Amino acid sequence: MNFSSDTAAPAHPALLAALNEANAGPAPSYGADRWVEAARRGLEDMFETELDVWLVSSGTAANALALGAMCPPTMSILCHAEAHIERDERGAPEFFTGGAKLSLLPGDHAKIDVAALKARLAANNPDFVHETPLRVMSLSNLTENGAAYSAAEISERSAMAKAAGLLVHLDGARFANAVASSGASPAEMSWRAGVDVMSFGATKNGALGCEAILLFGEARSLAEELRARAKRAGHMPPKMRFLGAQMAAYLEGGLWLDLAGRANAAAKRLSELFTSRAGGRIVHPVDGNEVFVELPDAVVAKLKAAGASFYPWLGGSFRFVCSWATGADEIDAVGRVLG
Ligand SMILES: Cc1ncc(COP(=O)(O)O)c(C=O)c1O
């Protein structure tokens, strides 16, 4: 009953097998190998477009490097007040941009509120030297509260940001979970909805440690800058083939979507148990693999006594995270504890 995080889950055996296969002999260094190329082709198939890709080993690196390439030090990045880039990255976006500001917006379930976005964009004055004008809007999908933006919701916010001259970044640490629950395609949930650059996560959904920075459309002109920044920041591993092998195996046969679907289904079952048997109140939509729930103290105590792991969250709720590896037996065990 480990619901502490999807990063607590093991890596999927298909990715381990791919690492073994990539380990069979020598290969070119620094991304000039066939596994990185296979990953790039797999991503182009998945997103139905040409793109540039840079592979890194953590979501923080993906977000901070991407934002560094997108935003000059003298400008700002709009994001939700609960965004991972604001609350959980120890200032990495500010550090990697060389001092750009994060400008925070409200919104339910960690989705940027459209009216607040409109007001903030209207107040933006790039010609007033004393301000720190806006350059990027960053959305997270899933959001940090486990909710999913639909393709239409991304498009609406992107169109507004773009009309004001901003670029759009998507933190897709749990993009697979968002796509799995949306029924939309990866393209519809990203570049067709106005996303220029995204961090596409795999670590939380079966990889050992692999995230892809994707550059779409005109943002592909940032590729050289991104590469240079990755090198300077120590994110150009010589044996990049092992990142490539993970990503290629993750995409092969739609494994990413299958794994995300499993995690999402487990979260749905868990949330139903909490509401039907434990007097739980779900506080954010369960659109993916995370459940945020208020529970009676006695239920929390029973779950803890039975060895379940989960974290207390903001505002008095608890966060339960399912992963591709969450077994039906684990959910059944919760059911038995709840009685
Ligand atoms: C929304 C979001 N973005 C990015 C990340 C990636 O962070 P890390 O640097 O731990 O891989 C996380 C991890 O919890 C996350 O929840």
Side-chain angles (χ1 to χ4, degrees):
M1 289 187 286
N2 191 315
F3 302 103
S4 58
S5 173
D6 34 15
T7 47
H12 190 275
L15 276 72
L16 294 174
L19 288 177
N20 257 329
E21 196 261 326
N23 196 39
S29 317
Y30 300 112
D33 59 89
R34 68 184 170 87
W35 294 275
V36 169
E37 177 53 19
R40 193 186 60 73
R41 273 190 274 105
L43 287 161
E44 289 193 338
D45 282 352
M46 171 181 170
F47 284 92
E48 303 172 65
T49 187
E50 292 183 347
L51 49 77
D52 281 285
V53 55
W54 193 259
L55 299 174
V56 291
S57 58
S58 79
T60 299
N63 286 339
L65 279 170
L67 293 169
M70 296 172 81
C71 190
T74 50
M75 297 183 86
S76 307
I77 298 160
L78 271 181
C79 64
H80 194 278
E82 289 185 43
H84 198 267
I85 59 171
E86 157 67 6
R87 298 181 79 114
D88 298 294
E89 298 191 355
R90 196 70 191 238
E94 293 90 334
F95 182 60
F96 277 53
T97 54
K101 259 173 84 69
L102 297 189
S103 181
L104 310 182
L105 289 173
D108 293 343
H109 315 306
K111 288 186 188 178
I112 290 180
D113 179 76
V114 171
L117 174 63
K118 190 172 174 197
R120 182 67 187 85
L121 291 171
N124 186 40
N125 181 358
D127 299 325
F128 187 53
V129 71
H130 303 281
E131 275 187 17
T132 316
L134 302 172
R135 180 61 183 138
V136 177
M137 176 183 70
S138 180
L139 306 174
S140 302
N141 210 13
L142 298 178
T143 73
E144 288 70 8
N145 288 341
Y149 285 101
S150 67
E153 288 175 324
I154 300 169
S155 292
E156 182 183 18
R157 288 158 179 81
S158 293
M160 292 166 68
K162 292 194 157 196
L166 277 65
L167 292 169
V168 178
H169 168 258
L170 185 78
D171 176 348
R174 297 188 179 88
F175 183 74
N177 304 89
V179 171
S181 73
S182 71
S185 70
E188 286 163 340
M189 296 285 276
S190 58
W191 63 273
R192 285 199 185 119
V195 173
D196 298 294
V197 177
M198 74 177 281
S199 310
F200 171 55
T203 310
K204 295 175 187 302
N205 192 32
L208 289 87
C210 185
E211 315 275 307
I213 304 169
L214 307 179
L215 309 179
F216 300 115
E218 287 177 16
R220 296 184 70 192
S221 62
L222 298 172
E224 272 316 300
E225 179 67 14
L226 178 65
R227 205 160 73 113
R229 284 171 171 269
K231 176 65 189 176
R232 189 179 63 165
H235 284 286
M236 188 183 280
K239 294 189 181 177
M240 204 184 272
R241 68 171 132 155
F242 295 115
L243 291 177
Q246 289 182 64
M247 184 54 72
Y250 181 60
L251 303 178
E252 183 69 37
L255 181 66
W256 64 277
L257 191 57
D258 177 37
L259 298 182
R262 285 193 223 173
N264 289 2
K268 269 273 176 294
R269 266 199 75 202
L270 193 60
S271 69
E272 283 159 13
L273 279 180
F274 287 144
T275 49
S276 65
R277 295 220 218 145
R281 193 179 78 83
I282 302 295
V283 296
H284 300 298
V286 183
D287 289 338
N289 62 323
E290 297 172 286
V291 181
F292 294 83
V293 60
E294 287 170 4
L295 288 170
D297 292 346
V299 172
V300 173
K302 270 204 283 188
L303 285 167
K304 285 195 175 151
S309 52
F310 50 95
Y311 284 117
W313 215 251
L314 299 174
S317 68
F318 292 89
R319 185 187 79 161
F320 292 75
V321 188
C322 296
S323 78
W324 71 273
T326 304
D329 54 331
E330 278 181 278
I331 308 291
D332 292 344
V334 171
R336 281 195 298 278
V337 173
L338 299 181

